[in-house]
């Protein structure tokens, strides 16, 4: 039973560039959430996708966008990268029951982005 | 929006001592979850609390949910070096995590 997989594991970009991060949820899960975790900080919620639509969004600018595909996998895109975007980006999957997503979050290992 | 605050930010204990971290919300939570993140790792789910005043135990770990469902605590009895990591609470209403309590254990 595959857990949550993310790619790439590490990447380096320069300011102004764009990046795409990918996530495959745990088998049987239909909901994907993205978090940004700066060094020494807690995970900050970016957004959540369910049924290929953005279901909830945290306090992140429009430079952060996402997509969910029919197979439930997801992408996070960040445009016009800033130095402050350097962080570990975590993907978490879960399962919606009775239209409520309140269950356990399964996290991937993350994609560590460095912006120079 | 909902704010989830955690204290303390850091805790250093001698192996065998107890440890407690507290989580406080500005609003009522429908449920609260606790996660542990080992150094260099990713958050791993520990437990979910739903009912007012709920207490759950996992071996040496005791989790409590306040009567008003605005606060929660995690208590570890007789810490071991394997308990090292950062403990996060998360209000599942809107997916927000606390800043975490980083626990270090001296053998």
């Amino acid at each position: 039973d595959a857990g949550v997989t993310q790619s790439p594991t590490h990447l380096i970009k320069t300011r102004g560039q764009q990046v795409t991060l990918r996530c495959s949820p745990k088998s049987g899960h239909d909901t994907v959430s993205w978090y940004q975790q700066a060094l020494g900080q807690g995970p900050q919620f970016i957004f959540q996708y369910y049924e290929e639509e953005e279901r909830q969004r945290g306090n992140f600018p429009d430079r952060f966008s996402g997509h969910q595909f029919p197979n439930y996998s997801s992408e996070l895109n960040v445009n016009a990268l800033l130095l402050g975007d350097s962080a570990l980006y975590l993907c978490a999957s879960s399962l919606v029951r009775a239209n409520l997503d309140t269950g356990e979050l399964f996290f991937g290992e993350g994609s560590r982005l460095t912006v120079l | 929006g909902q704010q989830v605050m955690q204290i303390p930010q850091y805790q250093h204990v001698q192996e065998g001592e107890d440890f407690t971290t507290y989580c406080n919300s500005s609003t009522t939570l429908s449920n609260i979850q606790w996660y542990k993140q080992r150094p260099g790792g990713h958050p791993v789910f520990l437990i979910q609390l739903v009912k007012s005043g709920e207490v759950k135990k996992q071996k040496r770990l005791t989790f409590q949910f306040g009567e008003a469902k605005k606060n929660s605590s995690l208590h570890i009895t007789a810490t071991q070096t394997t308990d090292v990591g950062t403990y996060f609470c998360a209000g599942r209403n809107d997916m927000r995590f606390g800043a975490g309590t980083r626990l270090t254990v001296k053998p």
Side-chain angles (χ1 to χ4, degrees):
Chain A
D1 178 21
V4 178
T5 58
Q6 291 187 244
S7 64
T9 55
H10 295 82
L11 70 167
I12 299 173
K13 293 285 188 178
T14 56
R15 280 180 297 175
Q17 284 190 313
Q18 177 264 345
V19 68
T20 297
L21 308 178
R22 296 175 177 82
C23 172
S24 291
K26 179 179 166 64
S27 178
H29 282 185
D30 56 8
T31 304
V32 173
S33 303
W34 286 93
Y35 287 84
Q36 179 195 67
Q37 187 175 30
L39 202 60
Q41 304 294 318
Q44 298 295 311
F45 175 63
I46 303 175
F47 42 53
Q48 181 187 65
Y49 277 85
Y50 171 65
E51 292 189 337
E52 302 179 48
E53 291 189 356
E54 187 181 286
R55 183 184 170 104
Q56 285 191 71
R57 189 179 182 94
N59 221 13
F60 279 79
D62 293 344
R63 297 187 297 111
F64 290 77
S65 63
H67 189 78
Q68 185 179 34
F69 300 93
N71 66 354
Y72 307 119
S73 67
S74 177
E75 288 182 350
L76 163 65
N77 300 291
V78 187
N79 294 323
L81 285 167
L82 303 173
L83 296 180
D85 294 331
S86 295
L88 180 67
Y89 287 85
L90 293 162
C91 168
S93 74
S94 54
L95 180 63
V96 169
R97 293 188 179 90
N99 204 36
L100 290 176
D101 173 41
T102 57
E104 174 183 351
L105 293 171
F106 287 81
F107 283 86
E109 298 286 345
S111 294
R112 184 162 297 281
L113 171 66
T114 301
V115 182
L116 301 176
Chain B
Q2 173 186 308
Q3 296 287 331
V4 177
M5 310 298 291
Q6 265 188 271
I7 55 170
Q9 189 176 1
Y10 302 96
Q11 185 77 57
H12 179 72
V13 299
Q14 191 78 34
E15 189 173 22
E17 291 181 339
D18 291 356
F19 159 77
T20 305
T21 174
Y22 300 91
C23 183
N24 296 291
S25 171
S26 56
T27 58
T28 302
L29 301 167
S30 61
N31 60 41
I32 194 162
Q33 296 179 343
W34 285 90
Y35 292 79
K36 176 184 178 181
Q37 186 173 22
R38 286 198 162 95
H42 58 278
V44 174
F45 176 81
L46 294 176
I47 209 157
Q48 176 169 284
L49 304 172
V50 179
K51 299 177 183 176
S52 170
E54 188 170 15
V55 178
K56 287 189 176 180
K57 293 190 175 184
Q58 288 180 350
K59 298 183 180 178
R60 294 178 295 103
L61 277 61
T62 302
F63 304 84
Q64 292 188 334
F65 201 8
E67 294 291 338
K69 299 183 75 173
K70 287 187 173 182
N71 55 72
S72 181
S73 65
L74 158 59
H75 180 81
I76 302 178
T77 303
T79 55
Q80 300 175 358
T81 55
T82 54
D83 295 325
V84 164
T86 302
Y87 293 84
F88 295 101
C89 62
R92 211 52 177 85
N93 293 32
D94 62 358
M95 315 292 291
R96 282 176 167 77
F97 278 65
T101 296
R102 183 177 173 185
L103 173 66
T104 55
V105 179
K106 184 177 182 180

